[in-house]
Each structure stands twice: as structure tokens, then as C-alpha cells.
Amino acid sequence: MTLSPSLAANPDLHRWLSFAPAGRVTIHPGKVEYGQGVWTALAQIAAEELDVALDRVEVAPVSTDTSPDEGVTSGSRSIEDCGGALRQACAQARAAFLAAAAAKLGTGPAALAVRDGEICQDGTGTGLSYWSLGGPSLLGAAAAEGPAAKPASRWSVAGRSAPRLDLPDKATGRPRFLHDLVLPGMVFGRVIRPPGPAATLDEAGAVDLPDGVLATVRDGSFLGVLASQDRIAVAAAARLAAAARWTVRESLPDERGLKGFLLSQPTEDQAVERRDDPAAAARVRHTRQAEFSRPFIAHASMAPSCAIARWDEGADGMARITVWAHSQGPFPLRRALAAGLGLDQAQVTVHHVEGAGVYGHNASDDAAADAVLLARRLPGRPVRVLWSREDELGWGPVGPAMVARLSAGLDEAGRIQTWRQDVWSNGFLGRPGIGGTPRLLGLSHLAGAAPIPAAPDGEPSGAMGATRNAVPAYDIPDLAVTRHRLLTMPIRTSSLRSLGAFLNVFAIESFLDELAEVAGADPAEFRLAHLSDPRARRVIEEVTGFAGWAGRSPAGGTGFGLAFARYKGTSGYCAAVAEVAADTSVTLRRLWLAVDVGRVINPDGVVNQVEGGALQSASWALRERVRFDRTRITSVTWDSYPILRFTEMPEVAVRIVASDQPPVGAGELAQGPVAGAIGNAVADAAGVRVRDLPLTTEQITRAIEEA
Amino acid sequence: MGSVNHWRLTVNGTEQTVSAEPGTPLLDVLRHDLGLAGPRFGCGMGLCGACFVLIDGQARSSCDVPVWAAEGTAVTTVEGLAMKGAGEAGGGGLHPVQQAVLDEQAAQCGYCISGMIMSGVALLQRNPAPSEPEVRAALDGNLCRCGTHQRIVRAVLRAAAAAPAGTTPAGAAAGGAAE
């Protein structure tokens, strides 16, 4: 069995698991838990391969001191990367222990089995166990291509729904989040942000600071305060903000002309995918083109970002920095902090502690940098920094605004022959350290520091960045997809869950309905006629079946829409049907989804992720839009950045299509199809195609006027 | 900072004295002075519901209530919901709404779940058999970013079905200092 890439990169078995404390198994994933439930699924994988009960498995939080370096927890890759590595590491550990037991018992390993950690022979306990055999030496080996993991047909823990390990704490209010962590001697910091991304601090101003303030920090346009209590730091920050004098410059585009702005900026243009059929053009009888857009979208985590840092001056004169962060990438954060501060990365330790959901790259890494910059002022003291709600919405990276321009040609029989897709966007890869710069907000405000450069977007492909899912999954003989990455970045962008897939699938699936209309075909039949991949066909057939697509009755302002995508073109399959009531405003009533994510580790975990992806995407599609003026983001509260509420959320039903293919993630595959299904349902109900997200009354009214 | 005063608060049935400026948000006092992690800071403006507690039985935000206004009221946080002496949390000691949240796996990140539980508890106390629209309406002041809405609605309905009127500890919890 070939080693999983993550295990090959971190081959020491003891990096992945330990049989401690007695009677327990502790696994050390390199992927972080942020509410997606990955810890539970990984624990199931370990329990399955080790033949121990699930409740024996504990999961250690990621630490750069002890965990394998698995980079960033992103891209719905944890089950593939970390799950694949753990499966093999645990299978190898089990084999090593069986071999050791066999040697002691004078038998062959094949005569032995493991029952809840105990070594058995002929169904009877041998008195040996993972714990009695002693772990460290047996786990000292490096992983090798060796014992095969258990076939799914023999799974008894994996493949069945397991309750989330973290929820009992969360439902009872036990401290679990970084925001709850209190360290001995901890003090509290707050940062006063500039009044806009291009503003610079002229003068901090004289301020009478309250008792309990321990220090202020000013370096360039970075202004912060440290106090014995958070409430004192908040009050002091308000006084400092009132006294500070800034030079404010207009640096943001005109919000009303956002599409024109995106289309007029200098770009890096790259071919993403090309299929040439020289005869295709001659077969075309009907052509259509259309332009779709999305605004900037905020991550809008329920918790403002938080971090704790301690700066210790070693006796050797070397600084040691310890950071507690809810970053999605503790190892990349360590490297970026070290690079930004001119330190060796061995001087920096990052411990992950759970935060609220982040949905991509929010301000968690920036909060860590803030904490370090403030901690430097008070060596030896843990410094906690909590962002305000306004800073979280106004200063965290956002998902880029985008334009997708599509054109296609149909032949006489209504089959798609040609497809062109051009995507304009800022880059999605704005995480710490990408492109050789730290990309940490506080560091970019220090004296002499350069602003954060425009975000990269990764290799040009249909799996990456702005062109994620820009290559349709349909059978089209002549196709060209091009990425236009903006080289200016007036609003800081980075990864937002599903990256470009949200707009690209919305655009492709909206456009497909427009083409189906030209061809005079039912949207489901039209899609199936262009799909030869049986897994793709299966999710469409499943969702149209259980949504009652064939018997739908759009009447009285009700509409139905269908959409499909295979996430990244290489990952999970998802088809969605939406039912809306729409005239000039939209009520989303119901969503039906069918997914194929390969072999499923935790079925309820998959359903929860798909439901969540669907409902978050519904909120993006119907409501969300970062607002700004020429100097700054202005949608900095839940009033000015509203998201869908309980009374606005639809019913959602999810079905998992059984599959024996390798498992893939489920957290991001619903976003595109749900947006497409809602767009098509709105078109069905309102009789007008709205191509600019979000699908608000304003946009629908404009589309009606332009129709 | 202005003058610091002493405040007598009744939290989860216990009277406690804290020292704080009168304008200090109740949430800050609960989290930092009383060490209760259940109510969470989300926005500081009463707009998201993450900090919901029961004040005299009503679910409401604690981030925009000054500590002076909480004197003389009965405050209940999620920590105060579990039935006393009924065993370890995670087992039979949970309030029916908490238990239903676990049974329905009604959370993802879980940052806002304690606030939602408080809204659910307050609803069931005034309306032990709510309809689904009534549950949604009662939760409308709580934001969820993970998209777990449907599961949370199901959990509140499940708790209502599991605990007929008068048998839940909601009355005691809401009363705070109940004898």
C-alpha cells in the first residue's frame, strides 16, 4: 500500500499516536478542529484501525511542538490527508504491536487479533494489550509501505454516525474555546486600528489613561494598549482612538461600480483549461453569453478573533515566543511570525486552541500577530488580544468580489459544442506566508513595513483559487477557461469557504438553465445529456427523485431550480434542488441535496456539514455583501452586515449516495450547487434571470427593468 | 475609569458580590469576575445572541446590560441549567434542551449554542408545546454562522416533546434563586 502523502511527509508513527494514558489512545492530527467535526471522524478512523472502542480515543490539539505538520486545515482535505495518514499509521501500529505480542507468545501474528486494545488468541485474552506491551519503542519506527488498512467492508466504527466529541462541553458552557482560556498572570491587549486601509497614524495624541493600563505600544501605524483587565483595555483603546490623528486616503473603489472596477484593473491572465475541437464552431447554431458577479463576502465568524502570546527573553539573549491561536494553520502561522519578526522559526511555538467557525481565512492569524506585538512590550506575561466585532467585520480578510463572463454555442440538436469562461477576481490565497510575505495585518502597520501585497491565487486550474470549479463538469468538446487575477487589492482578500466555486457554479448552472431553455430541454434532462460520469448522473437522479422534480408545480410565484457540481472537479459530487417563492423578494422554502463523498466515515457528520454549507451559501446568495465607502469597509455590525436568520432559513434535506470510492471532504461541496439552484428557482418563479449576487429585491428589480 | 462599586448579583441561584464600575456589561462580569464561560462575547451590541442569559426568566443579551441594572434580578447562565445532583454533565444532569442539542447533534462550532439554549429554555417555559414557526421566531435573535439552524429547531421541538409542561427544571432555572 502506497504511503499517504501526509504520512510520507511525517513518517514517525509516534508523531501520530500514543497509547497513553493507560487504557487510552491519543491521536495527534495535524489538522485543527473548528466546528467541522473532523476530530470525531479522525477518532473513528483510529478506533477502527486499532480495534479499540471509540471512547478510548482522545484527540490532541495541534501544536507545532508535537504534531505532524499538515499545513493549513482547508480545502475539505482533512479526511483525505490526515484521515488517510492516520488510517495507515494506526494500521501499522497495530501490526507492530501484534508482531511484538506474537514474539512474546511464540506464535505468529496471524494467530492474534485485537479486541478493544487487548491482544487475543483464538478469541481469548492473552493478558497482553497495547498498554501492557509498552508504546514508545514500538512506535519508534518510521511508517513504511506495509500492512494494508482495514477494508471498508470490515468497518464497525467508521461508516456509522458517531456523536461529536466536542459538543458536550459546548452545550454545557465548559471552557473550551481560546476565548475562555485564562493563563496565570495574563494581561489584556487591544489594538486601535486605523480609520481605513490606506490611513496612516500621524500622532497618537496625549491621553489620560485609566488605572490598570500597563503600557501602550506605538510602532508606525500600529497602536495598542495593555491593561490588567480587558474592560480597562477597551476603555483605554476608546480614549486612544479618540485622541489619535490619522491621515486618511481614499483607496477603495466606488461600490456602485464594482463590476466595472474588477474588469478595469491590471491583471495577470492565465489559461486554466483548454480543449480544442476545430470543427466545433462550424456545428454551432445558437450562441449565448452572460456575465455573473458576486460582491465581497465576509467570513463573519460568530466570535471575534482572539489570541494569546507570551514573549520570553531567554538567558541566552534569544527570544522565545509562545502563541495560542485558533488559526487554521499553526505551522504556517509560526513560519510567518518568525519571518515577519526576523526570528528563527525554532523560536516560535504555536498551540492551537478551538475558536468559533472561521470558514476560510478570517482574522485569527492577525489576532495572533497582534498578541505577539503587544507581548513583546511586556516580556514574560501572557497577553490576550480580543478583536472587536467592528474590527472582525472591517479588518479581517474577505472573500473576493468576482465577475465570470461566459459564452457558449449549441448545435442543431441542442448540445453544447463550445464554452468560454473568463473569471476576474482578486486572489484567494492570502494566508500567512503565501507568496513570501507574512501577510499579517499588525506587521503591515509597523513603521517602514510594506502594505500586504495583492493575494496570489495558486496554480491556474479548475481546482484552485478564483477558478475553482470554473471548468464545467459537462461533456463539451471545445472549451477555454481563463483566469484574470487582479494585481491591485484595495480590499484585502483571502480564502473564503469553497473559494471561486461559489460564483463559478452559480454562473455555470444559471447559464446551463439559459442554454436548456434555448434547447427546449428540461434542466435535469439537459444536464444528464451532457454528463457521462456515472457518479455525477447518480446525484442528479437522486436529488431530482426525492425532491419530486418531475412532478413539481411552479405556480403563483413559486419556482424550482436545480444545480450540480463536482467540487474542484476532482472531489465530492453534489446536486441541489431549491424551492422559492419570489416576486421582487425571495423566500427560500426548501433545499434538497444529494451528495457522493466516497466512503463515509461519519454519516451524520457529513449531513451536518452539507446542511451547514447549504444554509451558509443560501445566506451568501440571498443577503450578503460587504459594504464600503471610498476609505473603508462600512458593514461592521450585524445590522449593516446581515445574515439569514432562523425565520428566513429553509428546510433542508440531505441524502448521501452510497459509494465505495475513497473518502473526500464534505464541507464545501454544497455552496456552489445551492447558489445555482436558488438562482434557477428565482428565475423560474420571477420570470427574470438575476446574474448579480446577492439576489436581493434591489438586484431583482434591476433585472426586471433591464429585461 | 470611573468609580468602582459593589454589586450583589444572584447568578444561577447563588448570591454573589462583585466589584465593577456601574457601566460594566453584565457579560464581562459573568465571564471575567465570576468565571462563567457559557455566555459568549459575539458583538457587544445585543445583535447576535451569543451572550444570552435568562434575566428573571427572559432570554436576553448580557453584553448590553450594565451590571447595575442586573442587581435585584435572577440571572441564569447555561451553567445553571443542569439539574443539581442529577449526575455528571453529559449524562442525566442536563436540562432537556441541552440533552436535545446533543441528541440532535445540533451544533457545529458551538460558539453560539449556549445562547440558543437559553432562548429555547425561555420559550419552553412560556410555551411548553411550541409549533416550529414559534420555535424559529423565538430563536430569531440568535445568529448562527455554521448553518445549524434546522438541527437547533429540531432540538427545541424534541425537548418540548420529551418534557411535558411542568416537568422541566426550566421554572427553577428561570427563577434562579428558587428554593
Side-chain angles (χ1 to χ4, degrees), chain A residues 518-533:
Chain A
V518 173
D522 174 80
E525 294 304 321
F526 189 70
R527 283 170 175 77
L528 291 170
H530 289 87
L531 280 171
S532 48
D533 181 343

Side-chain angles (χ1 to χ4, degrees), chain A residues 513 516 521-528 540-554 559-563 576-579 592 676-677 680-681 684:
Chain A
D513 265 28
D522 174 80
E525 294 304 321
F526 189 70
R527 283 170 175 77
L528 291 170
I540 291 177
E541 288 160 358
E542 181 73 23
V543 81
T544 51
F546 93 102
W549 177 259
R552 69 194 186 278
S553 51
F560 293 82
L562 167 71
V577 169
E579 178 191 342
W592 295 263
N680 287 335
D684 189 37

Side-chain angles (χ1 to χ4, degrees), chain A residues 264-493:
Chain A
S264 66
Q265 292 304 292
T267 54
E268 172 192 50
D269 302 332
Q270 289 176 297
V272 170
E273 176 106 351
R274 229 194 135 88
R275 284 176 222 151
D276 289 316
D277 179 351
R283 295 194 294 270
V284 168
R285 294 291 176 274
H286 311 278
T287 58
R288 284 288 182 280
Q289 53 188 324
E291 201 170 270
F292 300 84
S293 74
R294 67 175 242 186
F296 294 102
I297 302 172
H299 298 81
S301 174
M302 290 307 301
S305 292
C306 183
I308 301 174
R310 196 181 64 226
W311 184 293
D312 294 303
E313 296 290 354
D316 55 1
M318 296 274 280
R320 288 281 305 155
I321 291 97
T322 311
V323 179
W324 293 261
H326 55 96
S327 166
Q328 279 180 271
F331 286 90
L333 173 61
R334 171 170 76 160
R335 289 189 280 270
L337 283 170
L341 296 163
L343 303 171
D344 188 279
Q345 62 166 304
Q347 294 171 267
V348 182
T349 297
V350 178
H351 301 296
H352 183 264
V353 184
E354 274 181 81
V358 287
Y359 324 110
H361 175 212
N362 77 338
S364 52
D365 294 300
D366 296 321
D370 289 344
V372 171
L373 290 173
L374 295 184
R376 182 161 65 175
R377 181 74 177 74
L378 283 183
R381 304 292 296 272
V383 173
R384 189 188 89 152
V385 170
L386 177 66
W387 279 32
S388 66
R389 168 55 49 195
E390 294 90 331
D391 284 352
E392 185 73 21
L393 285 169
W395 281 99
V398 300
M402 297 173 65
V403 171
R405 190 178 281 167
L406 280 60
S407 63
L410 300 180
D411 67 12
E412 194 61 47
R415 285 193 67 87
I416 307 170
Q417 296 297 326
T418 61
W419 188 282
R420 299 289 178 273
Q421 184 154 341
D422 285 75
V423 179
W424 284 262
S425 176
N426 268 121
F428 277 85
L429 304 190
R431 293 185 188 278
I434 293 182
T437 50
R439 298 187 180 279
L440 292 164
L441 183 66
L443 293 178
S444 77
H445 288 158
L446 299 182
I452 296 173
D457 205 40
E459 288 301 305
S461 91
M464 203 60 238
T467 45
R468 178 168 286 177
N469 279 94
V471 180
Y474 301 102
D475 305 329
I476 300 169
D478 188 84
L479 172 149
V481 176
T482 308
R483 182 172 73 190
H484 309 274
R485 179 180 70 93
L486 270 64
L487 298 174
T488 57
M489 187 177 68
I491 293 177
R492 181 183 168 209
T493 63

Side-chain angles (χ1 to χ4, degrees), chain A residues 15-36:
Chain A
R15 275 291 232 196
W16 295 93
L17 74 159
S18 64
F19 292 101
R24 315 288 296 169
V25 178
T26 302
I27 57 171
H28 297 263
K31 300 289 188 180
V32 305
E33 174 69 58
Y34 43 73
Q36 80 279 44

Side-chain angles (χ1 to χ4, degrees), chain B residues 52-88:
Chain B
F52 270 24
V53 297
L54 301 183
I55 297 180
D56 290 336
Q58 302 290 314
R60 63 149 302 157
S61 50
S62 59
C63 69
D64 57 351
V65 174
V67 63
W68 67 261
E71 244 198 350
T73 69
V75 178
T76 306
T77 71
V78 73
E79 289 93 337
L81 289 180
M83 293 194 282
K84 287 192 181 74
E88 285 296 303

Side-chain angles (χ1 to χ4, degrees), chain B:
Chain B
M1 305 286 275
S3 62
V4 169
N5 304 70
H6 300 293
W7 310 97
R8 288 203 311 185
L9 301 178
T10 304
V11 179
N12 297 331
T14 306
E15 197 168 283
Q16 315 213 38
T17 302
V18 296
S19 305
E21 282 187 70
T24 307
L26 174 60
L27 174 65
D28 202 40
V29 171
L30 294 173
R31 286 185 62 82
H32 294 289
D33 298 63
L34 301 180
L36 295 167
R40 308 198 174 283
F41 180 87
C43 69
M45 293 168 239
L47 296 175
C48 75
C51 66
F52 270 24
V53 297
L54 301 183
I55 297 180
D56 290 336
Q58 302 290 314
R60 63 149 302 157
S61 50
S62 59
C63 69
D64 57 351
V65 174
V67 63
W68 67 261
E71 244 198 350
T73 69
V75 178
T76 306
T77 71
V78 73
E79 289 93 337
L81 289 180
M83 293 194 282
K84 287 192 181 74
E88 285 296 303
L94 298 183
H95 185 282
V97 175
Q98 291 174 302
Q99 186 58 52
V101 163
L102 296 182
D103 292 340
E104 292 289 341
Q105 291 289 290
Q108 286 188 28
C109 82
Y111 191 82
C112 56
I113 195 65
S114 53
M116 293 179 187
I117 288 170
M118 304 319 284
S119 290
V121 168
L123 169 67
L124 296 189
Q125 208 211 340
R126 65 176 185 270
N127 179 1
S131 65
E132 180 177 327
E134 285 171 337
V135 171
R136 287 184 182 268
L139 290 165
D140 226 31
N142 296 87
L143 297 180
C144 166
R145 188 53 166 165
C146 294
T148 328
H149 304 73
Q150 174 164 292
R151 286 170 178 250
I152 294 160
V153 170
R154 269 200 226 127
V156 175
L157 291 169
R158 182 185 186 123
T167 65
T168 81
E179 273 70 40

Side-chain angles (χ1 to χ4, degrees), chain A residues 251-273:
Chain A
S251 61
L252 274 60
D254 182 348
E255 189 191 308
R256 293 162 301 178
L258 184 54
K259 275 202 291 184
F261 170 80
L262 294 171
L263 294 170
S264 66
Q265 292 304 292
T267 54
E268 172 192 50
D269 302 332
Q270 289 176 297
V272 170
E273 176 106 351

